[in-house]
Amino acid sequence: MANRFVHWLKSLVASFYWLSTVGHWGINGVFNALYRGQAQSGTFRGIYREVFGDEYPEEVDSTGFLTVSELERFAQDLHVGPGDSFVDLACGRGGATLWLARQTRASAVGIDIAKVAIADARRRIAAFGVEGRAQFQVGDIAATSFTDGAFDAAMSIDALFMVPDKTGTFQEAARILKPGARFAFTTWELDEPQRVKDYRPLLESNGFEILAYDECAGWLERQQGVHERIIANREKLIAEMGQQSASVWLAFSQMELPKLKLMKRIYVVARKNP
């Protein structure tokens, strides 16, 4: 009961934060606007192609800063194959989930709070040829409906930084993984009060062993390049996405650019203790 109350309280505080900073109540409202806009904008994809070059995972159409090299590393580090299943926590529009399901031949479940993203992910299943091995659902990654030990691996891409209840999320990840299963993710450390400066203590206190903890190569240049181009293409993005969605992307870029010197994007692999 206490954990549920803490989770609710953290989510409520976060909702007020998002309302005051980007004009949307709750992180689900923020990301519904982000995903809706992304799906409508050729300019947005053009920005990523220009900045990422050969590292842009075109087919995946990621919302974050995922690279081709990182995607291939996920396929290796999850240690799943035919007959196994993995979960993508905060899966967004599902491109990485589906690519990895196809690549590893494992079954995949994606969960995200944004209804817009989940609807897009479900529509994309056939395009990746993984019918019957992929499913998506709307839900809270810190309070899922999955059974204990349901999955052989878990992943998350550029999402945990945004989650209000990080302790609850890592507790939930440990609960739904089998003993010895791997949890691979990318996120950001941020050297600010009340932010996570190092995820290792959080992982270890929730039953994980750290296998890899690396700064992502080239992340700063790519992130700065994307944010600068989003701001420079303001009018085009508004015309393609609409004012509501474009304003969220612009707000993120304007907020993050000054903070990049305090941030570090990391790639982490952990294993649930037996």
Side-chain angles (χ1 to χ4, degrees):
M1 181 66 71
N3 287 342
R4 286 199 295 271
F5 175 75
V6 169
H7 175 65
W8 173 83
L9 185 60
K10 288 180 178 180
S11 299
L12 181 64
V13 171
S15 292
F16 280 109
Y17 170 80
W18 292 118
L19 183 64
S20 65
T21 55
V22 296
H24 289 271
W25 174 258
I27 196 168
N28 54 334
V30 171
F31 277 90
N32 274 323
L34 284 173
Y35 293 127
R36 189 179 295 111
Q38 178 188 358
Q40 297 170 344
S41 179
T43 296
F44 181 86
R45 291 180 181 82
I47 288 170
Y48 271 78
R49 290 189 195 101
E50 180 181 352
V51 173
F52 278 58
D54 292 341
E55 282 287 352
Y56 178 52
E58 179 92 34
E59 185 182 22
V60 168
D61 195 20
S62 175
T63 302
F65 292 87
L66 179 71
T67 67
V68 170
S69 296
E70 291 163 0
L71 191 59
E72 292 171 346
R73 186 175 177 183
F74 272 107
Q76 295 177 344
D77 287 338
L78 290 178
H79 277 207
V80 291
D84 294 328
S85 63
F86 68 92
V87 61
D88 188 350
L89 301 172
C91 63
R93 298 175 62 240
T97 323
L98 295 166
W99 189 95
L100 287 162
R102 185 180 65 194
Q103 186 74 7
T104 64
R105 300 175 64 194
S107 296
V109 177
I111 179 170
D112 199 283
I113 57 172
K115 294 180 181 179
V116 169
I118 292 300
D120 279 352
R122 289 169 177 164
R123 284 192 288 267
R124 302 175 76 189
I125 291 173
F128 282 83
V130 292
E131 298 96 325
R133 286 197 293 111
Q135 56 181 296
F136 296 93
Q137 65 183 64
V138 177
D140 183 342
I141 66 172
T144 75
S145 60
F146 305 129
T147 58
D148 293 357
F151 296 103
D152 300 286
M155 61 176 287
S156 185
I157 297 174
D158 293 354
L160 299 177
F161 173 73
M162 297 284 193
V163 174
D165 186 3
K166 292 177 178 58
T167 298
T169 297
F170 283 102
Q171 289 173 345
E172 186 70 353
R175 184 187 70 79
I176 64 178
L177 285 173
K178 297 175 182 176
R182 291 188 169 201
F183 182 19
F185 61 89
T186 56
T187 191
W188 289 268
E189 297 176 340
L190 178 55
D191 189 8
E192 281 187 343
Q194 307 304 315
R195 299 287 192 169
V196 178
K197 301 177 182 65
D198 188 336
Y199 282 82
R200 283 168 285 202
L202 192 55
L203 283 161
E204 290 167 347
S205 65
N206 285 289
F208 287 98
E209 173 192 2
I210 311 298
L211 303 180
Y213 198 94
D214 305 321
E215 183 172 2
C216 299
W219 76 270
L220 179 58
E221 294 79 10
R222 283 191 290 271
Q223 199 162 332
Q224 182 173 336
V226 167
H227 288 323
E228 289 175 345
R229 285 164 176 80
I230 284 175
I231 293 169
N233 285 274
R234 179 179 183 276
E235 298 305 323
K236 288 183 180 179
L237 292 173
I238 290 173
E240 294 173 6
M241 294 182 175
Q243 180 69 50
Q244 186 181 55
S245 292
S247 66
V248 179
W249 281 107
L250 288 160
F252 270 120
S253 291
Q254 290 161 348
M255 284 191 296
E256 285 195 358
L257 266 177
K259 292 187 176 183
L260 291 180
K261 61 182 179 294
L262 304 175
M263 299 171 71
K264 185 192 324 185
R265 187 169 178 270
I266 53 172
Y267 181 100
V268 181
V269 185
R271 178 170 55 206
K272 181 181 174 179
N273 294 328

